[in-house]
Amino acid sequence: MAKVLVALDQGTTSSRAVVFSTEGQVISSWAEEFPQHYPKPGWVEHDPRDILDSQVSALKEAVRLSGVSPADIEAIGITNQRETTFLWDRKTGECVGNAIVWQCRRTSQIVDRLVKDGCGDMIREKTGLVPDAYFSGTKLKWLLDYYNLHEKAERGDLCFGTVDSFLCWNLLEGRPHVTDATNAGRTMLFNLEKQDWDDDLLKLLEISKACLPRVIDTAGPIGLLDPAILGRAIPVTAMAGDQHASLFGQACMKVGDVKNTYGTGCFMLMNTGDTPVRSRNGLLTTMAWRIGGKPTYALEGSVFMGGATIQWLRDELKMITHAAETEAIAQSVNGTGGVYLVPAFTGLGAPWWDMYSRGTLVGMTRGTGRAHIVRAALEAIAYQSADLMEAMIRDSGSAPEHLQVDGGASANGFLMQFQADISGIPVVRPRVLETTALGAALLAGLGAGVYGSLEETAAVWKQDLEFAPRMDEATRRLQLDGWHRAVERSLKWAQA
Ligand code: ADP
């Protein structure tokens, strides 16, 4: 039997495992969902036991379905939902409460205070992040404060970790307490340039270094899987946050390479090489990966309402019954007839950053119908992504050759063609749309020496379709101008 690579993809709603051939083909996959806990409004938690159990059972099932023997698994790579925070006892392994999920807003006030105290610029400068409750740092502080555990942390009796650390500690022989640089970069405690925990930030948040994991490379030997799981101590050779794994799985190895994942929200990352580019447009500076001790950086931006706009058409407006219908409906009209939908339901992110903007539908006439509105909703996903890409180009000074796409809504041909048209660059969709898992598997292959270089892993990436831009420049300008005028109408709405 040929050798295979396995990706563990620990996500927000499910834990998945995917078995890949070394040529990057999916041999088998399995996902296990687990419950979400909402103990108070705005709070989100996961039971650590559920995370472990679902991940182990997904791994076992995917391997069983593949028909490969554990002896043929060359290496395992881990990728994960980012920022979700665990704290556990170093001796017993018992967790302090549930994991605090990235979406949880319970530490908003801690962040507000930091910003009010004038620490925003320092945080931005050191971590590349816009101060927010989203990141792990204030979540860890909350756990230490709430359970009164600062002294215990100081004594080295506690371990903090994001999902990658938590899985390694629990699933690997010898319980390594480690995290990779991409995950560390999302804690708001990690100094991007020094590539290490930042003493000033630790002091600011009253966090003892003794509870932090050791920061390691994204690819390279980490340890061996506990043989009790699959009957063999298989090497684990990669760890990366999900968006970083997907950037790798999309073969975005060169400066200026950019990918966009069209899921519930959209996540766009651009490789900026060995320079951490500071954004003037509200983007985050983050790690792409760290390999052989060498950091590669990225710019990151997100669209809050991506595929979620389509869910809104389906669930609230009842205009459609399935997301996939939107493609034919949009194509049934020549254009939106001047209609723009700005889906700023929860405010707008980069490059606008206005928490008070609200959903806006403009430009309607007596002839406006359902198809125009459905089309405007799809176009809105592309316009928001186009704005993010423009911001990245302005910040980095590099212009991408194409946009690599994946995620559920990238199946929509109309949306992809409109993205190519409105961004004025080719949109490229790969054969394997599971780019996050593929990225983790390729990183694991690199870490295990299955591939000798980044170029070899990039060669595994295969194109499915390319959408070439077809819109003339004057129309493109006009349409974008209309969109920006619509965005202006939506700004600061909820403030009044
Ligand atoms: P996530 O990983 O965030 O759960 P997925 O990558 O599974 O998201 O994508 C699901 C999202 O994509 C949903 O919001 C859905 O409305 C949207 N979606 C799925 N298929 C299509 C389609 N053919 N056209 C437009 N949107 C779609």
Side-chain angles (χ1 to χ4, degrees):
M1 190 77 179
K3 297 282 184 188
V4 299
L5 296 163
V6 175
L8 304 184
D9 180 0
Q10 206 300 305
T12 310
T13 56
S14 72
S15 299
R16 299 163 44 71
V18 187
V19 180
F20 286 97
S21 71
T22 51
E23 288 80 39
Q25 269 147 356
V26 175
I27 298 173
S28 66
S29 73
W30 191 255
E32 295 264 332
E33 289 195 7
F34 53 83
Q36 310 288 312
H37 299 281
Y38 307 106
K40 290 187 189 183
W43 289 33
V44 190
E45 296 182 352
H46 289 157
D47 182 334
R49 201 66 254 165
D50 289 339
I51 300 277
L52 273 183
D53 291 348
S54 59
Q55 190 60 75
V56 169
S57 91
L59 169 61
K60 287 183 175 167
E61 190 55 17
V63 171
R64 192 186 69 76
L65 287 171
S66 73
V68 302
S69 141
D72 295 321
I73 303 174
E74 196 87 45
I76 296 176
I78 297 173
T79 181
N80 56 284
Q81 52 162 321
R82 303 177 297 173
E83 297 108 9
T84 296
T85 300
F86 297 75
L87 185 64
W88 65 92
D89 186 297
R90 196 183 290 276
K91 288 198 194 85
T92 65
E94 198 156 322
C95 278
V96 176
N98 276 339
I100 305 182
V101 178
W102 58 274
Q103 298 149 322
C104 187
R105 304 306 301 171
R106 82 182 62 177
T107 60
S108 298
Q109 282 171 350
I110 303 181
V111 176
D112 289 346
R113 207 163 54 235
L114 291 174
V115 173
K116 221 179 260 153
D117 291 349
C119 303
D121 285 347
M122 172 175 96
I123 293 173
R124 237 175 267 239
E125 186 55 35
K126 286 172 179 281
T127 67
L129 305 173
V130 176
D132 196 277
Y134 192 71
F135 306 109
S136 321
T138 57
K139 297 184 195 300
L140 171 56
K141 176 180 169 50
W142 188 93
L143 284 168
L144 293 171
D145 287 350
Y146 184 80
Y147 292 100
N148 197 12
L149 288 170
H150 288 279
E151 274 173 33
K152 189 167 177 179
E154 198 82 50
R155 287 199 304 271
D157 292 339
L158 284 173
C159 297
F160 151 77
T162 39
V163 173
D164 54 320
S165 306
F166 180 69
L167 290 179
C168 270
W169 201 85
N170 282 285
L171 304 182
L172 270 58
E173 284 187 319
R175 299 195 176 286
H177 186 211
V178 290
T179 188
D180 97 292
T182 67
N183 278 294
R186 311 296 294 187
T187 57
M188 222 170 82
L189 303 171
F190 186 70
N191 189 307
L192 274 187
E193 272 173 46
K194 290 192 189 135
Q195 286 291 300
D196 203 356
W197 303 118
D198 188 279
D199 290 330
D200 297 335
L201 294 173
L202 293 179
K203 208 157 134 199
L204 189 67
L205 289 171
E206 300 168 290
I207 290 171
S208 163
K209 216 180 207 167
C211 71
L212 301 183
R214 185 162 55 86
V215 182
I216 60 172
D217 280 358
T218 309
I222 301 168
L224 299 172
L225 188 74
D226 181 343
I229 298 172
L230 287 178
R232 184 179 155 244
I234 301 162
V236 176
T237 54
M239 289 198 295
D242 50 13
Q243 297 309 321
H244 316 269
S246 142
L247 188 70
F248 197 86
Q250 282 276 23
C252 292
M253 309 298 178
K254 296 196 308 297
V255 175
D257 285 353
V258 56
K259 72 96 194 177
N260 195 18
T261 300
Y262 297 79
T264 313
C266 302
F267 282 94
M268 188 179 282
L269 269 79
M270 177 191 267
N271 184 327
T272 63
D274 52 16
T275 332
V277 172
R278 304 294 166 182
S279 176
R280 275 162 282 115
N281 296 288
L283 300 167
L284 304 179
T285 309
T286 194
M287 302 297 303
W289 43 76
R290 192 171 94 188
I291 294 170
K294 188 175 153 299
T296 300
Y297 297 93
L299 278 170
E300 173 173 329
S302 57
V303 168
F304 303 154
M305 288 286 152
T309 313
I310 306 306
Q311 287 167 290
W312 174 74
L313 290 181
R314 186 192 62 194
D315 302 339
E316 266 66 44
L317 298 192
K318 317 251 186 264
M319 276 193 177
I320 54 166
T321 41
H322 299 289
E325 283 168 47
T326 56
E327 181 165 356
I329 299 173
Q331 271 158 344
S332 72
V333 284
N334 283 333
T336 65
V339 173
Y340 289 91
L341 170 68
V342 185
F345 303 133
T346 55
L348 285 173
W352 311 100
W353 282 117
D354 179 6
M355 290 307 116
Y356 299 101
S357 65
R358 285 295 175 268
T360 305
L361 189 58
V362 292
M364 286 180 291
T365 62
R366 181 64 184 81
T368 298
R370 163 177 172 259
H372 299 109
I373 294 174
V374 168
R375 185 169 171 133
L378 285 172
E379 290 188 357
I381 302 174
Y383 282 125
Q384 294 178 90
S385 300
D387 284 343
L388 273 184
M389 197 161 80
E390 268 309 305
M392 285 185 179
I393 293 171
R394 262 182 282 143
D395 279 338
S396 67
S398 15
E401 288 163 27
H402 26 67
L403 173 66
Q404 317 273 103
V405 298
D406 53 64
S410 73
N412 191 307
F414 168 80
L415 173 60
M416 294 301 102
Q417 182 59 50
F418 190 76
Q419 186 73 71
D421 287 344
I422 212 66
S423 296
I425 65 165
V427 164
V428 178
R429 195 166 65 192
R431 267 189 226 163
V432 176
L433 283 175
E434 304 219 40
T435 57
T436 303
L438 177 63
L442 293 177
L443 282 161
L446 186 67
V450 174
Y451 311 108
S453 63
L454 288 188
E455 290 71 30
E456 273 182 45
T457 61
V460 172
W461 182 93
K462 296 279 183 307
Q463 176 179 317
D464 171 27
L465 272 182
E466 175 172 314
F467 300 85
R470 293 195 298 230
M471 194 179 275
D472 65 84
E473 187 58 17
T475 312
R476 187 172 89 88
R477 289 274 148 223
L478 208 65
Q479 300 250 79
L480 272 173
D481 180 59
W483 162 253
H484 292 140
R485 287 193 299 126
V487 168
E488 262 161 45
R489 299 289 191 281
S490 80
L491 296 177
K492 301 190 174 63
W493 185 262
Q495 227 167 15

